[in-house]
Amino acid sequence: MNNPIRKKLDENLAILKEVLGVGESFDVIVRTFEIAGKKAGLVFIDGFIKDDLILPILKLMETEREELSVDVIKKITDRRLPYYEINTVNDLDKAVQEVLAGPQLLLIDGVEEGIIIDGRTWIGRSPEEPELEKATRGPADGFVETMLFNVNAVRRRIRDVNFRAEVIQVGKRSKNDVALVYMKDIVNPDLLQDVKSKLGSVDIDGLPLADKTVEDIITGGTLNPLPLVRYTERPDNVAAHILEGNLAIIVDNSPTALILPAPFISHIQTLEIFRKGPVLGAYLSLLRLFAILISVFLPAVWLLMANNKELLPEYLHFIGVKKEGTVGLGLQFILASLGIDLIRMASIQTPDTLATSLSLVSALLLGDFAVQVGLFSPEVILYMAVAALSTFSIPGYEMVMVLKMFRFILLIATIIGNIWGFLLASLLIFIWLASTKSFGVSYLWPIIPFDYQALKSSLLNQTVLDLSHSRPAAYGVKDKDRMVKEDDREQD
């Protein structure tokens, strides 16, 4: 305790006013009044206090002098402050941090202890279904910018005594709350300890980018563009993952949770598929994998075949262009790829009222005119459009950007090295994926290392009754069995 609370109220308030900038910051308020003849002060930040907190304060002011002869703090908290979230503090530095977080500080003259009243109110938007993770069936709620509400949304779905939501404050100045959400009897303890250690030891002023800054901290800020964590704004998605043994990180002021470990297959799965039956779910899963292959390989493979028709069988000789453009095919693909990314960037910055106009201008006018003036061949526009459209089937936006980068690398390699360039680039991409790990889990799991049960449950969409013994062993979980065994039921 470096800065204990003094007995004299005026000394405490003078220190608090200087530290908190009372008079400089308009929203920091100090109110003084009397409790049983003793001078008291209430320190709080305007906008964080609930209106109904005035009732306990009024009841507190009705206290008689003889009621506070001894054990002032205990008697106030037990008899005169019927509020459900209170605790005590005896250090001014700790009290300052509490006030800055939103609770109110009550100090009484002659008492070397303060009362923290958590009468915070939260101003935020109502939960809405995330734009990037929509589903035709299921809950339509999503995370908001308040950590407490987000944790509650997950807890509503898992009413288990082993559910844990630990809070760590990160940032020397910002003191941002970061919640680690997991199942105590399932999560890998080594993973949990590793993340705690990284968040607790980081020396940083604050979290300016909230969840993204936390990702940089726990991944070490690697230059590897492959996403090592999965972002999600759906509480049902978080609940499903932590029941599998994942660790979820929810950052205050962010509507997005981080899920880890996150191998490649985690980024292409959605709850939408698992809401379908096994047959339809398997079809949709395989269709999505096919879309990923089309998005990455289609332009480069078509360019490769168009430039090497002599190597194709006769029934594939239709591949190629009927009318050459003014620039080479390879450069056409590069320009088309850059144009698509430029349109994407412009659409993000375009107001919703103008988004439709932008789509019409970019898709119809630019594409059509580019073909008419001879800059692009129609086939190039077609295959790049198919490849771009396929990326919309991938739920993870971070993974989408990486797949676009892979497509660009393959195109460049094919233009420079033809067949050998394409094969070499494909091999390097595979090695890149295979050598990457997400918090100890191979990025290509369950293919490398091969895990038949996990692969079957991921691609063939088993029902919940078939998921026994299917909790991912690669995550190092404590409890590998999803289902309660008959012996366990009998013991219970």
Side-chain angles (χ1 to χ4, degrees), residues 153 168 203 211 247 253 302 412 477:
I168 299 176
D203 187 16
D211 47 6
L247 172 66
N253 300 312
W302 185 88
I412 296 294
V477 295

Side-chain angles (χ1 to χ4, degrees), residues 51-52 84 102 173 185 201-202 217 238 241 307 407 460 468 470 491:
D51 293 337
D52 57 2
Y84 43 83
R173 294 181 181 273
D185 61 332
S201 61
V202 67
I217 293 171
V238 171
H241 275 85
N307 290 335
R407 182 174 67 207
L460 300 184
S468 181
S470 67
Q491 291 178 4

Side-chain angles (χ1 to χ4, degrees), residues 300-311 409-426:
V301 170
W302 185 88
L303 177 62
L304 194 64
M305 292 189 293
N307 290 335
N308 298 273
K309 279 192 174 184
E310 67 279 2
L311 301 179
I409 291 174
L410 287 172
L411 279 171
I412 296 294
T414 303
I415 294 171
I416 296 175
N418 205 353
I419 295 177
W420 292 110
F422 174 81
L423 293 176
L424 179 60
S426 299

Side-chain angles (χ1 to χ4, degrees), residues 120-363:
R120 285 177 287 188
T121 184
W122 302 104
I123 299 176
R125 59 185 176 89
S126 59
E128 299 175 351
E129 188 174 20
E131 285 290 329
L132 297 179
E133 298 178 276
K134 288 188 175 181
T136 55
R137 290 286 185 271
D141 61 334
F143 287 144
V144 294
E145 285 73 19
T146 305
M147 184 190 71
L148 178 62
F149 294 167
N150 295 340
V151 172
N152 288 342
V154 180
R155 186 181 283 276
R156 284 181 59 194
R157 291 165 166 83
I158 305 178
R159 303 179 183 182
D160 190 278
V161 295
N162 289 293
F163 180 92
R164 294 291 184 270
E166 292 188 49
V167 174
I168 299 176
Q169 285 191 336
V170 181
K172 294 186 298 182
R173 294 181 181 273
S174 63
K175 304 292 183 182
N176 295 99
D177 290 329
V178 178
L180 306 181
V181 182
Y182 59 93
M183 300 299 295
K184 183 181 179 181
D185 61 332
I186 300 177
V187 73
N188 184 346
D190 294 333
L191 170 65
L192 180 62
Q193 184 57 42
D194 179 52
V195 173
K196 281 184 180 180
S197 176
K198 289 177 179 177
L199 291 176
S201 61
V202 67
D203 187 16
I204 189 173
D205 282 344
L207 304 180
L209 299 180
D211 47 6
K212 176 57 181 174
T213 307
V214 171
E215 178 193 356
D216 291 339
I217 293 171
I218 62 178
T219 60
T222 176
L223 294 178
N224 190 343
L226 290 172
L228 303 181
V229 302
R230 177 179 177 179
Y231 286 85
T232 182
E233 296 182 42
R234 295 188 65 100
D236 52 350
N237 207 354
V238 171
H241 275 85
I242 66 175
L243 286 175
E244 285 189 344
N246 293 82
L247 172 66
I249 302 178
I250 299 177
V251 185
D252 198 22
N253 300 312
S254 172
T256 307
L258 308 180
I259 297 175
L260 52 130
F264 178 82
I265 198 168
S266 175
H267 295 275
I268 64 175
Q269 288 180 319
T270 63
L271 290 178
E272 170 75 2
I273 289 179
F274 289 95
R275 290 189 177 277
K276 303 295 185 289
V279 176
L280 289 177
Y283 164 72
L284 293 175
S285 295
L286 295 175
L287 182 61
R288 177 164 287 155
L289 286 177
F290 183 63
I292 291 173
L293 294 176
I294 288 177
S295 173
V296 176
F297 290 100
L298 178 61
V301 170
W302 185 88
L303 177 62
L304 194 64
M305 292 189 293
N307 290 335
N308 298 273
K309 279 192 174 184
E310 67 279 2
L311 301 179
L312 298 179
E314 187 175 349
Y315 63 86
L316 291 179
H317 279 184
F318 68 90
I319 294 176
V321 294
K322 295 180 180 179
K323 184 179 179 181
E324 294 284 347
T326 56
V327 297
L329 282 179
L331 183 57
Q332 288 184 43
F333 273 109
I334 296 298
L335 293 176
S337 180
L338 294 176
I340 290 174
D341 286 338
L342 182 61
I343 293 172
R344 178 192 61 81
M345 293 173 60
S347 64
I348 294 176
Q349 306 299 326
T350 303
D352 293 339
T353 54
L354 300 178
T356 303
S357 300
L358 174 66
S359 300
L360 291 173
V361 170
S362 59

